[in-house]
């Protein structure tokens, strides 16, 4: 009998795992899909995977309403340091600390660049109920329309 020790999810990624994680990150997350289908069911039309370039900052919102200039980010609790679930891992904190801090800095830069360009930014935590999140988005869409 062998005891297989599966690598901890908090182990710093090797090159191949890093590619893997990038792929995972790009793929639509489940909450994102749920929110999109609620918006779609409500007759809202949006764009996804929009690449923006705003003065050197490249925000990648998850859901974009171009005409209303509303950009929605559905943030993973871990990657974006959610106050409820985004505790910095104690394991390999020297690796994750700066990495997560960079994410936070990038999030703030994206928010500021979008706001400066006249966009309304909505950030949703992946732990939020999709129904509530979709309602929040639609409320904002109503106010900016
Ligand atoms: Zn969370």
């Amino acid at each position: 009998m062998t005891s297989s020790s599966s690598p901890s999810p908090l182990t710093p990624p090797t090159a191949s795992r890093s590619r893997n994680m990038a792929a995972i990150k790009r793929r639509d997350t489940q909450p994102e899909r749920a929110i999109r289908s609620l918006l779609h069911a409500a007759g809202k039309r949006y764009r996804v995977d929009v690449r923006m370039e705003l003065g050197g900052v490249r925000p990648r919102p998850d859901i974009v309403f171009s005409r209303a200039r509303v950009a929605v980010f559905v943030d993973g609790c871990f990657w974006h340091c959610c106050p409820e679930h985004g505790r910095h891992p104690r394991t390999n904190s020297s690796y994750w600390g700066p990495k997560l801090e960079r994410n936070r800095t990038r999030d703030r830069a994206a928010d500021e660049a979008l706001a400066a360009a006249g966009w309304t930014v909505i950030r949703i935590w992946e732990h939020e109920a999709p129904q509530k999140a979709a309602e929040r988005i639609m409320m904002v869409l109503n106010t900016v329309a």
Side-chain angles (χ1 to χ4, degrees):
M1 252 188 86
T2 57
S3 67
S4 65
S5 63
S6 62
S8 151
L10 301 178
T11 305
T14 59
S16 75
R17 280 194 52 172
S18 191
R19 264 199 308 279
N20 231 344
M21 292 176 93
I24 288 166
K25 225 177 149 210
R26 271 315 317 147
R27 216 166 44 207
D28 301 348
T29 61
Q30 203 279 327
E32 210 174 307
R33 277 200 305 269
I35 293 165
R36 278 179 188 161
S37 67
L38 286 165
L39 291 168
H40 195 268
K44 302 296 178 192
R45 295 299 175 259
Y46 47 81
R47 294 167 67 203
V48 298
D49 212 23
V50 175
R51 289 157 192 272
M52 305 174 112
E53 159 77 59
L54 299 168
V57 181
R58 297 161 191 271
R60 294 287 296 269
D62 296 304
I63 304 169
V64 169
F65 298 88
S66 311
R67 203 150 25 122
R69 287 189 165 244
V70 172
V72 180
F73 294 84
V74 182
D75 291 336
C77 292
F78 176 75
W79 291 105
H80 299 268
C81 307
C82 142
E84 285 172 49
H85 314 102
R87 294 186 309 277
H88 279 204
R90 265 163 293 168
T91 331
N92 295 308
S93 61
S94 60
Y95 172 81
W96 289 108
K99 199 174 173 63
L100 295 174
E101 191 49 45
R102 272 197 302 279
N103 279 350
R104 265 217 278 241
T105 306
R106 200 170 48 210
D107 289 348
R108 275 197 300 268
D111 290 355
E112 283 164 19
L114 283 161
W119 286 74
T120 304
V121 177
I122 304 174
R123 285 198 176 264
I124 289 162
W125 292 113
E126 69 178 356
H127 70 245
E128 288 184 48
Q131 183 65 48
K132 282 245 165 26
E135 282 167 12
R136 187 143 67 87
I137 294 166
M138 288 189 272
M139 247 165 57
V140 173
L141 286 173
N142 289 337
T143 61
V144 298

